[in-house]
Amino acid sequence: MKTSDGQPGQNVFAPTELTRKKLRQQRMVGIGFGITTILILIPLVCLVGYLFVKAWPAFPASYMLFLA
Amino acid sequence: MSELLTNQSGKLSRFFGTLKRLFSSMTERTIVSLIYLCGVSAIIFVFGIFFFVFREGAPFIKNNLNLSGFFLSDDWYPTSVNNKRYGILALLAGTGSVTLVAMLIAVPFSLAAAVFIGKFCGPKPREILKIMIAFLAAVPSVVWGFIGLKVINVLIINLTGAPVGLNVLNAGIVVGLMSVPIIVSIAEDAIRAVPDTYIEAAEALGATRWQTVRKVVFPAAKNGLLAAVLLGVGRAVGETMAVLMCTGHSINIPFDGEAPYFHILDSVRTLTATIAAELGEAPRLNALSDGTYPEEGLHYQALFTIGIVLFIITFIINIVADLVVKGIRKKT
């Protein structure tokens, strides 16, 4: 952006250092909360996975074909 | 003739109108009565359960309850041949320690998840996460107990070197995970119930989403958040099957006067697990001719007294929650 006399000017809408810091902080907080939420769900996935893995030999082929 | 016919038809239409009004009024009254009956029956059932539990435990309270021996002793030997003792201190400590660990795990994770779902993620991920968290609630408690017994038990032994993995930590993790869905769903509802105008005002002042959550949403939703945590505590106190499978079921107080004061790798036994494990083997005996009860029947009555203690604990939690929420309301 240039001023009327052709000199390079400052973009008045550009985020300031403070705004950038706040946005960075917000992003970090969002990621932190997201990781926490995923951490709660990991045991669920592991649990269901574990049950399936352990129960798999008990599923006869005929039963699985019946399901399909 | 035509006048007579008109007259008759007028009478008939009035008669049918009255009949229709009567029928509609009766239908409405029946439906209102049914709804009233449903509402009252819930209260009657609760009182019925309390009456039954109190009736079964009353003889023990009346004839054999020694308050200091019951609440301050950790000697729970209800089937001893020579010296039967009914001290529930260790059971209370077990329930308290498991609830404490469960809440230490569940509350931060659940509140963070509620904030993320309510304020940070988009509509599509929100729906997916909500479904997955609801799925956590759908896992039966016996399956959670199974996981504690077969997976977390081994993990704790391998990671900590503890001789037994069925302990406070194991039960705390399992009960904490079981409490997560209820805390998340209620906390998220509380967060989303904060009026949009509050959030818009904060954003208009240049606050980021995190600042809005910290300074506006949390204070405005604290009643709901507190209710969510207390319901989680209620769930943890009342949980039976998973706790029975994961605590090791050993009568032990995991606290002492020496550092580290709280032994998280100790096996414990809870009030609920004791009732579940022993009630089937405790005989219910009728009173003798002189009004006293045979000693063999005291075990059954003592278990019902534990049920009354559980009732009272839950009642106190609810009263405290109510008082705190009312106090917060008065301040705001």
Side-chain angles (χ1 to χ4, degrees), chain B residues 40-240:
Chain B
V40 171
S41 66
I43 300 167
I44 290 171
F45 284 135
V46 171
F47 274 104
I49 292 167
F50 185 72
F51 173 75
F52 172 71
V53 173
F54 196 80
R55 192 194 66 185
E56 298 296 302
F60 182 83
I61 296 170
K62 194 178 162 193
N63 304 321
N64 302 82
L65 185 66
N66 166 16
L67 277 178
S68 61
F70 191 68
F71 287 107
L72 301 177
S73 164
D74 60 349
D75 291 336
W76 177 257
Y77 297 110
T79 51
S80 167
V81 178
N82 299 324
N83 187 12
K84 295 183 196 308
R85 280 156 287 169
Y86 305 95
I88 62 162
L89 183 65
L91 310 181
L92 283 169
T95 301
S97 57
V98 170
T99 306
L100 178 74
V101 174
M103 287 304 106
L104 284 176
I105 293 167
V107 170
F109 278 93
S110 306
L111 293 185
V115 170
F116 183 72
I117 292 169
K119 289 289 158 209
F120 281 88
C121 71
K124 222 172 185 179
R126 176 183 299 146
E127 287 312 310
I128 294 168
L129 286 171
K130 280 174 86 169
I131 289 167
M132 287 194 80
I133 284 172
F135 194 58
L136 261 178
V139 178
S141 63
V142 70
V143 174
W144 279 117
F146 184 72
I147 295 300
L149 199 68
K150 289 286 168 189
V151 181
I152 303 175
N153 177 25
V154 178
L155 279 175
I156 288 175
I157 291 171
N158 290 340
L159 294 174
T160 65
V164 182
L166 301 175
N167 48 33
V168 177
L169 180 62
N170 191 333
I173 292 169
V174 168
V175 175
L177 285 170
M178 290 176 79
S179 310
V180 161
I182 193 165
I183 302 179
V184 171
S185 61
I186 295 168
E188 198 236 334
D189 283 345
I191 285 168
R192 288 172 70 83
V194 174
D196 286 342
T197 47
Y198 289 19
I199 294 154
E200 283 161 10
E203 281 171 359
L205 290 170
T208 61
R209 214 178 294 173
W210 168 234
Q211 286 170 326
T212 310
V213 166
R214 201 157 48 98
K215 303 274 185 186
V216 177
V217 175
F218 273 157
K222 60 188 164 191
N223 289 357
L225 298 179
L226 187 75
V229 171
L230 284 167
L231 280 170
V233 171
R235 174 82 206 263
V237 170
E239 179 48 45
T240 306

Side-chain angles (χ1 to χ4, degrees), chain B residues 303-325:
Chain B
L303 291 174
F304 271 89
T305 309
I306 293 177
I308 295 169
V309 171
L310 266 172
F311 241 126
I312 292 167
I313 291 171
T314 318
F315 185 69
I316 289 171
I317 290 171
N318 287 343
I319 292 279
V320 169
D322 202 42
L323 288 175
V324 171
V325 168

